[in-house]
Structures are given as structure tokens and as C-alpha cells.
Amino acid sequence: MTDSVLHATAEAGRAPRVRFWHDPSFWGLLPSRLLMGFALILPIFIIAAVSVATRGAHGGFAWDFNLAGYRQILFNEGWTGELEFTPQYLLIIVRTFLLAGATTLICLLFAVPVAYFISRQPPGRKAALIYLVTLPFWASMILRVYAWMIILGKDGTLPRLLEYLGLPSGMSLMFNDGATLTAMVYTAMPLMVLPVFASIEKLDGTLIEASHDLYGSRWVTLRRVILPLTAPGIVAGAILVFVPSLGAVLEPSLMGGGKQMMMGTLIQLQFGGGRNWPFGAAIAITLMALVMGFLIFAALRAARREAAL
Amino acid sequence: MKKYLTATTLALCFATAAQAEGQLNLYVWTDSISPAVIEKFAKEYDVKVNVDGYTSNEDLLTKLQAGSSGYDIATPSQHFLRVMIDEGLVENYGANKLKAYENIEARWRNQWWDEKQEHSIPIAYGTAGFVVNTTQYKGPTDSFKYFFEPDGELKGKIAMLSYPDEVIGAAQLYLGIPFCTEDQAEMKKVLDLLMAQKPSVAVYSSDNIASRLASGEVAAHFWWDGEEVKARTKGSPFALAMTKEGMVGWLDSMVIPKGAPNRDNAIKFIEFMSQPENATEQMNFYAHSSPMKLVQEKVVYKKENAPELYPEVPIVFSRTCSPAAQDLVTRVWTQLLQ
């Protein structure tokens, strides 16, 4: 990032002032800019606009400014007909964040040792192992979740194994938070392993030796040398896992039994059965704002820490 | 090379939007239309038929509301059909002037969901209730009590649908509350009933029902009559509960979404599906009752081998709720799963 910026200023200094349309790179980048604009930025603006529109009687919306969608996140008519504070949607938001956080943490716990192990292999085996890590991506996501349903379900692989070990038979390990978490960790794992691996591999072994030479114990070496140096990869992996996990719909409904809503299912309900598009859009925008806030906070902290070093 | 690649990619991207002569795009309940009948139609009229599926009326409504779906035929249930007509989402194709209209059994013509029968021709009807796996559950099934207030064998072995639509209707039947009530106190009772049932529910899902019930993962599942008949006559140990409080009724009709690219083919298809011969073949595939005149001697599912399709308990058809009533339904569902 910084590299390219430096590069750009250097170039601008060298060449005489040119209009941007004389710059071939502008035209070269135009398709990607248009694609980003139309496929990414514009839809977000549309959702933001819908979130302040007025709901139609049976779904859909009219272009009349209305903040009811946002109000509804916190205040709703109670069973007595009065407007009252309703924590139900906050509860769903908090649950979603907890689940995404747990997924990220578990992924991290598994991914660091795995990445470390892979990075210490000879080159040929390293490539093969990385290939294996990305292998699940070749199958469709719904297929991977169904695979877990077969493993955990009634008469599935795992219950059979437990039965063999003397535990009661006919157990089903499906339809609970553990099952949801298992599938989420499984689907997200490669997203964590790859960036962590990339930064661990760049880790200079001599620095670890130096730490030991200076009487740093294993723990101190890990905490003061290895972790700070691999932090960029860990942060990148954490973001890659955390953010998509917030929008998970498939795992909670298939593995968790859909007994507790997540933000993804809540949004889906509002656009479908609830027939309240503006509210659905308002939740989506809120979710995005929360994620953005979280990322900006993380980025600022990282920048401050870098400045302090 | 690159040019060809780009061209191919573009062509692929827009292939679904192609509106070539001789096409017909169906958007119907998943696996609801007999592939054999579709093939027969395709051959006879030299039309390429594309089939897409949905598993809830809500999915269909949302897609039509989003506009220019590119579909020529859809099959909403009666209470959604009413909304689609009122919102101008479906074409008035003069259904009552078609031959198909003459083939509708008299009692299904000109109902409240399409009084003049201008927008729709019915294709199937049936009921929704709960189905048990008889190897898992041997108790009585003549009341919704065993499903909504289970004890013993069904505890923790119950599955509901992932959408409130017919499930709430069944709860209302059990409690004796009218469909689409706007009375908060009455809907609170529905919520209380479902909350009390929740600990006994293993899963809220509308997918994969047959395999979930057959494997014994759950012992009772909210389901539709025809699906149960189809699975049972193929050997699955299922039984549809004939609940004395009544069952939730539905009727699906063929409509043409506004702006359908192949309107003429759609009308040809509706006429074709409504001929007694084809309607019979369609019913034998779908296993739900047909509202059309049939070739009786060719009907596979008769009263003797499929009594589920000829219920003797009261059938109450889902109604089109006012927005206020619909909000109460959504509120119950959200609080149930919050």
C-alpha cells in the first residue's frame, strides 16, 4: 500500500503535469473502477436508500423518507400496543457478534500451529500442504455443510464412533450451537490459515535464535518476537473470517436448526415473510456500520501501535 | 482469443435473460411439475422450457416485487395470489376465456383469490399439517395437541417449517383463533403456545424434510399432504395426522408475471397443463390433488390408497392478511426465534 503511494508521488514529481485522461493507467483501471462502482458501491447506496424508504403494504417500498426501519431496531409496539424498548434485535446482533467472534478465535487457535508447521516443511511438501488447505474451496459451500450434517447427524460418522466407544446409541449431535460453530470454523479455516501462513513464512528464523541467545524463554519469544512479527497476517486472517461470519445464514439454519435467529436470517425474514424491506435494509446497513466501526477501530489501534514502535 | 473469451463470458452472463423465440421460463415450487409433461409440451410446441424452483411463497413474492424476473409462469398459493393481483404483479390474461377455464372443477372457479378468474388457472391443492414417522412415534395423531404440546416420545423430535406462514395457521386452528387476526391478545396466545413448544422442537427448516423424517432425526415434521403420500406410497413409514381441529388448506395457481417475455408460450402451457390427460399425469407425479377435470381411470392416488388427499376433517384455507395482521405474525415469529 505505502509502497505504491510512494511510487505514485515519485512518478508525479518526475513527469510534467498531465491531465488524468492522458494517463494510460486511468483508462487501464477504468473497467475495474466501473465494476467496483456498479457492482459494489451502487448496491450499497441502493440499500441505504431503501432503508430510509417507506414500506409497502405487502413488501416492496415507496420512495418516501421514513426512519421507521431504524427506529424499529430499538423500539417496537409491545403486546399492549404501546411503543416500548425491545431488546430482541439487539440480542440477535450480540449473538451474531459472539458467534462470529468465537469462530474467529477457534480458527486462530487452530490456524497458527498449522501455519507454523507448514512453513517449516521442505518446499515441495509445503506446496502440497497449502494445496490441501485450499482444497475444500473447490467444493460448494452448501455441500461442505451437508457433509457435516452427515458426520454429526443421527447414525452419522461421529455418533457411530461414540457408540463404538461405549456411549449411548442413537445420539444426534446436530441442531445446537456447537454444530453451528463446527461448520462455521470448518468453512472459514482456510481463510485464516493462508494469511497467517504468509506472514509466518516471512518470519526470519535468526530473530528467534537471537531472542533465545538473549535468554528469552520460549514463551517470551512467542509473545515478544513471533506474535508481533506475524500480527499483520493474524489480523488479516481474523478480518477475513470475522466479517463473512457475521452474515452467516447457511450454518445457523442447517446445523443449528434455525432455532435462534442470526442477523443473516433476520434480514432474510424481513425481505421475505416479514415483508418489511426498509427494516431489512436498515439492519443490513447497521450491520455494515458496526463492521466498519470495528475495522476502523482495529486499523487505528494498529497504526498507533506501529507509531509507538 | 481474448475477444472470444469476453464475448463468451458476456453471452453466458446474459444467457438467462435471452428472450429468444420458443422459450418458456417456469418459476414454480421445487419439483412440482412433472418433467415428463414438460418434455411432452416442449416437443409438441417446439419450445425450450427452463425450470427454476422456490420453496416458499415469500421467495416468489419478493422476486416478483423486485421486478423483471424474466419468468413466464409462477404458481403462488391463493393468499399470495390475491396480493399479487392487488399489487399488479401478474398479468390479466383473460383466463376465464381459455379452454382451461372450462376444465376447472366448478367448485374451484371464481374464488375470493381471483373472483373473475382472469389472472389464474389452478394447478394443485392440498393441506398442511404434521406428519409422523410411525416407527418412531406410535401415539395418537388426531389432534394438534400432540404436536404443539407434546410429551413423551415426541419431545425434542419435532420439526417445524422455517417460515411462519402455515405453521402459525395451524397453531391458530388449534387455539380456535381466526386466521389473520389483528387482536394482539390472541396472537400473544399463539406466541405462548409456540414458546412452550420450542424446547421440544429440534429444528425449524423447510428443506430436506423427507430425509430428515425418514432417518428418524425427527419423529414429527410439519409438512404437506402430497409429499407425505408420495413418500409413503414409496415405502417410507409416514402418516399424515388428520387433526380434528382442522388442517391448513392451500391451492396453487398458474399465473403470468407482469412483463413476462414469452406470454404466448405461457398461455399455451397453461392450456396444455389443463387438458384432462396432462392434468392427470401431473397429479400422478405431484401426488397433490388436482382442481381440474381428470381422466378418472388413470388417476393413481385414489381414496383407497391415498386417503390423505380426501380428508374428512375441516380444511381452512390460508387467507390474505392485512399488513397489521401480517406484522403480528412476523412479530410472533421474531420473538419465538429471537
Side-chain angles (χ1 to χ4, degrees), chain A residues 55-60 76-81 86-89 91-92 95 146 149 152-155 170 172-175 253-254 256-262 266 268-277, chain B residues 58-59 61-62 65-66 79-80 83 87 136 157 162-164 184-185 187-188 191 198-199 201-205 207-208 212 215-218 320-323 326-328 330-338:
Chain A
R55 65 182 292 203
H58 296 284
N76 282 279
E77 254 179 55
W79 288 107
T80 49
T86 32
Q88 56 185 14
Y89 300 120
L91 214 75
I92 294 170
R95 178 186 305 132
Y146 269 101
M149 291 172 74
L152 296 182
K154 191 175 151 66
D155 297 329
S172 170
L173 304 169
M174 288 285 291
F175 309 137
S253 42
L254 287 181
K259 282 195 274 191
Q260 289 183 319
M261 276 191 204
M262 296 291 156
L266 179 65
Q268 199 186 25
L269 176 71
Q270 295 310 324
F271 277 91
R275 302 182 208 171
N276 194 344
W277 293 21
Chain B
E58 284 85 354
D59 287 349
L61 179 65
T62 308
Q65 277 167 339
H79 47 318
F80 280 76
V83 171
E87 302 239 303
Q136 300 265 319
K157 295 286 241 169
S162 61
Y163 269 103
Q184 306 219 6
M187 285 309 276
K188 179 73 169 55
L191 173 64
K198 193 177 176 185
V201 177
V203 54
Y204 294 84
S205 170
D207 305 310
N208 259 354
R212 190 177 301 120
S215 72
E217 185 95 56
V218 296
T320 307
C321 294
S322 67
Q326 190 61 41
D327 275 358
L328 282 177
T330 308
R331 201 202 296 178
V332 165
W333 201 249
T334 314
Q335 294 207 356
L336 175 67
L337 301 180
Q338 74 178 17

Side-chain angles (χ1 to χ4, degrees), chain B residues 9-60:
Chain B
T9 319
L10 279 176
L12 279 176
C13 288
F14 293 104
T16 49
Q19 291 161 21
E21 276 280 310
Q23 289 237 7
L24 182 68
N25 303 318
L26 304 183
Y27 190 46
V28 294
W29 290 90
T30 305
D31 296 330
S32 68
I33 311 274
S34 157
V37 177
I38 289 179
E39 201 177 314
K40 214 162 102 188
F41 173 80
K43 273 216 184 98
E44 209 169 310
Y45 290 89
D46 192 25
V47 165
K48 186 179 178 322
V49 183
N50 308 306
V51 187
D52 246 349
Y54 55 84
T55 54
S56 76
N57 278 305
E58 284 85 354
D59 287 349
L60 170 63

Side-chain angles (χ1 to χ4, degrees), chain A residues 277, chain B residues 60-71 89 257-259:
Chain A
W277 293 21
Chain B
L60 170 63
L61 179 65
T62 308
K63 209 153 197 170
L64 293 191
Q65 277 167 339
S68 58
S69 59
Y71 294 116
L89 297 172
K258 265 272 154 66

Side-chain angles (χ1 to χ4, degrees), chain A residues 114-133:
Chain A
V114 167
Y116 193 84
F117 173 78
I118 296 175
S119 71
R120 293 292 170 262
Q121 301 301 311
R125 198 183 298 164
K126 204 187 292 185
L129 287 173
I130 284 294
Y131 173 74
L132 283 178
V133 167

Side-chain angles (χ1 to χ4, degrees), chain A residues 48 50-54 64-73 278-279 282:
Chain A
V50 171
S51 75
V52 293
T54 303
D64 296 313
F65 184 78
N66 194 330
L67 285 175
Y70 288 95
R71 191 212 68 206
Q72 223 179 324
I73 296 175
F279 181 43

Side-chain angles (χ1 to χ4, degrees), chain B residues 121-132:
Chain B
I121 293 289
I123 183 167
Y125 70 93
T127 60
F130 72 98
V131 174
V132 295

